[in-house]
Amino acid sequence: MTSMSRARVARRIAAGAAYGGGGIGLAGAALVGLLVAEAQMARRHVGNGTTSHVPNAEGLYGLSYDTPGEPPLRLLMLGDSTAAGQGVHRAGQTPGALLASGLAAVAERPVELRNVALPGARSDDLERQVGLALADPGRVPDICVIMVGANDVTHRMPPTRSVRYLSAAVRRLRTAGAEVVVGTCPDLGTIEPVQQPLRWLARRASRQLAAAQTIGVVEQGGRTVSLGDLLGPEFAANPRELFGPDSYHPSAEGYATAAMAVLPTVCATLGLWPAEEERPDVSRREGFLPVAKAAAEAASEAGTEVAAARGPWALLKRRRRRRVPETEPEAAAPSP
């Protein structure tokens, strides 16, 4: 699918989400029987060797930067198993911990991490998660990172519904005063046990949803980062290295790759990135584009950021990734 075609489909999905339209089919009826058979075969393979254990990474990071009278930044993770960190064994290997430690180093302030993500969650669970996040009006997060969408595709949730739930979550968080960064739907066509034609259809559905998510998020004042093929061409070259034992959830190296791509956008959203980094760099093919076109381009290239600009325009950025060290939480629970 061309970028222009993906942009048109993404705009239709986003419009349907905004105005209550029905779902948009991503595959013809003649393929349903074949897809069901392929999906059942994939399910038998995906998940072998996995563990449902998710390390508890909540706590304070960067205590060495503590300054009396200056509260820590509050980072909240929402979404599915990717946001939760399922598939690794140590807290410091989860994306939340990696982002918290990286943000603390850039901001030179402690960061309090809270995680309400739920393995297996779809976008319709975001309402519950946001409710947990905003239960205490005095502790609104400074920055929220949402990673969601893969389960929407695998459970065939209509993309209009998926985007509607995500947009509503972003709107609630932004209204409460939190900044929001969304890691869009990863490319499910990269999962090893998935065979053709399901692999092609999974990639097509994933990228269409990612582009539509971007439109919905940007229109609510958030920013997106394309997770694509789990954030980098390294994944396609080293799938066994970047996937965990279940061949579905990322490994520690995969999560580190994701965190490296998301961290610059998190920092920029909080105004912590150098001003010169915020200007479009033509040499990196950055610039202002109509929102739908920017969304389609981002869906095709992992690690690409899209942020709102004036009117119907969005800024597309390809930020340089920053390596983030694995760090365990320095406090077992968030400070009061």
Side-chain angles (χ1 to χ4, degrees):
M1 178 179 287
T2 67
S3 177
M4 288 301 295
S5 297
R6 185 175 295 115
R8 285 195 296 269
V9 173
R11 173 52 74 188
R12 287 167 54 206
I13 294 171
Y19 298 108
I24 295 177
L26 297 176
L31 291 173
V32 170
L34 179 58
L35 285 176
V36 169
E38 289 281 1
Q40 290 174 343
M41 186 176 299
R43 286 195 192 101
R44 284 197 294 270
H45 289 87
V46 171
N48 293 332
T50 189
T51 173
S52 60
H53 170 70
V54 177
N56 180 11
E58 291 189 331
L60 284 170
Y61 293 77
L63 281 178
S64 60
Y65 300 111
D66 187 32
T67 301
E70 186 174 21
L73 290 169
R74 297 191 182 107
L75 167 64
L76 176 74
M77 300 292 295
L78 308 94
D80 55 24
S81 56
T82 304
Q86 185 174 357
V88 294
H89 300 288
R90 296 198 301 271
Q93 297 172 328
T94 63
L98 293 165
L99 288 172
S101 59
L103 177 58
V106 173
E108 296 187 341
R109 283 176 63 182
V111 172
E112 176 188 297
L113 172 65
R114 187 182 179 200
N115 197 324
V116 297
L118 178 68
R122 288 169 280 182
S123 294
D124 55 2
D125 190 56
L126 290 175
E127 181 179 6
R128 181 192 65 83
Q129 295 182 26
V130 172
L132 292 173
L134 302 180
D136 183 352
R139 296 181 62 79
V140 174
D142 295 292
I143 181 75
C144 302
V145 176
I146 304 174
M147 296 179 177
V148 75
N151 296 315
D152 297 25
V153 173
T154 59
H155 289 79
R156 294 186 291 177
M157 176 183 287
T160 48
R161 286 183 57 204
S162 177
V163 173
R164 189 178 304 133
Y165 289 125
L166 177 59
S167 299
V170 175
R171 181 167 57 250
R172 284 183 66 190
L173 292 168
R174 294 289 294 128
T175 300
E179 300 288 349
V180 181
V181 173
V182 174
T184 55
C185 182
D187 183 352
L188 298 180
T190 56
I191 299 173
E192 280 193 309
V194 177
Q195 302 300 315
Q196 298 291 9
L198 185 59
R199 179 185 292 269
W200 177 83
L201 289 165
R203 168 169 287 118
R204 183 169 178 258
S206 302
R207 291 187 176 185
Q208 284 183 359
L209 179 56
Q213 285 178 319
T214 295
I215 295 173
V217 170
V218 168
E219 290 181 343
Q220 298 302 327
R223 301 192 192 198
T224 63
V225 178
S226 169
L227 295 189
D229 54 3
L230 287 185
L231 300 180
E234 306 96 331
F235 178 76
N238 304 292
R240 297 188 181 278
E241 179 183 347
L242 295 189
F243 262 154
D246 62 357
S247 297
Y248 186 84
H249 293 100
S251 65
E253 186 61 31
Y255 280 131
T257 304
M260 279 192 292
V262 174
L263 178 62
T265 299
V266 167
C267 293
T269 302
L270 292 172
L272 299 173
W273 229 230
E276 59 269 19
E277 283 279 341
E278 296 308 295
R279 291 190 289 271
D281 186 338
V282 178
S283 69
R284 295 207 296 265
R285 295 178 293 114
E286 298 178 346
F288 296 95
L289 297 169
V291 175
K293 182 169 176 53
E297 288 205 13
S300 301
E301 185 171 345
T304 305
E305 173 191 317
V306 179
R310 291 184 179 180
W313 298 88
L315 174 59
L316 185 143
K317 295 277 294 178
R318 295 177 171 88
R319 296 185 183 275
R320 296 185 178 90
R321 302 178 189 178
R322 300 296 196 272
R323 182 73 188 183
V324 287
E326 179 185 325
T327 307
E328 298 294 326
E330 297 168 78
S335 60

